[in-house]
Amino acid sequence: MKKTLAENIYEKLLMRLLMNEYVPGEFLNRRTIAEEMGVSVAPVMEAMLRLKSEGFLENISRVGTRVRLFKKDVILGHLILREALECQAARIYCGPCIKSNLNSLLKEAVLLDMIPEGTPEDFREEIRFHTKLVNLTGCGPLTEEFMRIANISLFCSLNRLPAIGVPVVKNNHKNLVESLLVDDEDKAENIMREHLRKGKGNIFNQLYHERGNI
């Protein structure tokens, strides 16, 4: 299906966000963007409204639209949502589905594990790999929601998490793939949760402490 003009502009603006061309707190002028892209203001407005609904942009009264400034409790919320979605996905695709895609998954996992930890490339490829895993469920709505949350997670990783001052642990994705060969939904869910908590555990713990939950 051919994409609409607004959808194309949305994808371009999203890519700029994920490539750090737009940073938190930066104001975006829809007329400037429209002139730059050679389109009318209407599709730019539609694209920006979608980015706002997804949590990337926010309106500041009497000032304009800016890239959202993510607070720590919002980051924590998205980490919790991502964990919930990925753990449910692991219950669906574990065992036979992993086995039928094993060679390609292992190949990509090994390449991902070779990328230096904490780099923009590491963050981007980690999201891409986990999106591929979730897509194995064959559940469109689940994959779509995961991609929305994952993109915000990526944006926070690139822009906000370094400022929190806690290290991100490099996970072993080859071991993850091999472990998910297990044909047991409960075990697969625990495997995925352990994997995610190992990589983001320091962030979870600090944010929970700051909210007074533990």
Side-chain angles (χ1 to χ4, degrees):
M1 181 181 297
K2 187 176 181 180
K3 295 179 181 179
T4 66
L5 183 56
E7 288 173 334
N8 286 327
I9 293 173
Y10 161 82
E11 291 183 354
K12 290 179 181 179
L13 294 179
L14 177 60
M15 184 57 62
R16 290 183 182 184
L17 287 162
L18 299 182
M19 294 301 291
N20 274 15
E21 293 181 29
Y22 296 145
V23 297
E26 179 178 350
F27 282 88
L28 303 183
N29 186 299
R30 60 179 181 270
R31 296 188 183 279
T32 301
I33 294 173
E35 291 176 1
E36 177 188 342
M37 295 186 176
V39 298
S40 67
V41 173
V44 175
M45 288 181 62
E46 184 177 339
M48 291 177 67
L49 283 173
R50 179 175 174 182
L51 289 168
K52 179 186 174 185
S53 70
E54 292 180 352
F56 286 99
L57 305 180
E58 58 185 357
N59 286 335
I60 305 301
S61 180
R62 295 188 296 276
V63 179
T65 301
R66 73 177 181 184
V67 180
R68 186 175 183 181
L69 294 169
F70 286 90
K71 297 181 179 180
K72 293 180 180 181
D73 61 338
V74 175
I75 296 174
L76 175 60
H78 282 93
L79 289 174
I80 292 171
L81 281 174
R82 176 181 172 181
E83 180 182 286
L85 292 170
E86 288 217 61
C87 286
Q88 179 59 39
R91 296 179 65 88
I92 298 172
Y93 64 65
C94 67
C97 192
I98 290 291
K99 185 175 181 179
S100 64
N101 293 275
L102 186 59
N103 290 336
S104 63
L105 288 172
L106 286 177
K107 182 178 179 180
E108 293 188 36
V110 169
L111 291 175
L112 172 56
D113 291 339
M114 293 173 62
I115 300 174
E117 66 179 281
T119 62
E121 182 185 7
D122 183 32
F123 290 136
R124 294 187 181 101
E125 288 303 306
E126 191 259 352
I127 291 296
R128 187 192 62 78
F129 182 78
H130 279 264
T131 300
K132 181 172 183 176
L133 285 176
V134 174
N135 196 47
L136 293 177
T137 64
C139 179
L142 176 59
T143 301
E144 183 178 340
E145 183 62 16
F146 172 75
M147 289 179 65
R148 185 184 73 82
I149 295 298
N151 281 334
I152 292 180
S153 175
L154 173 57
F155 187 72
C156 290
S157 296
L158 293 170
N159 293 283
R160 189 66 179 89
L161 295 186
I164 295 177
V166 290
V168 177
V169 178
K170 180 74 172 182
N171 272 331
N172 190 311
H173 292 83
K174 179 177 181 292
N175 286 348
L176 172 65
V177 171
E178 293 172 337
S179 298
L180 288 172
L181 284 166
V182 62
D183 194 8
D184 184 302
E185 294 179 357
D186 291 337
K187 287 183 179 179
E189 178 178 343
N190 289 331
I191 288 167
M192 180 56 71
R193 178 171 289 108
E194 181 179 350
H195 173 85
L196 295 172
R197 285 297 179 103
K198 180 181 179 182
K200 299 291 192 300
N202 291 325
I203 298 169
F204 266 104
N205 290 337
Q206 178 164 329
L207 294 177
Y208 267 125
H209 276 297
E210 291 180 358
R211 296 178 71 248
N213 289 336
I214 58 174

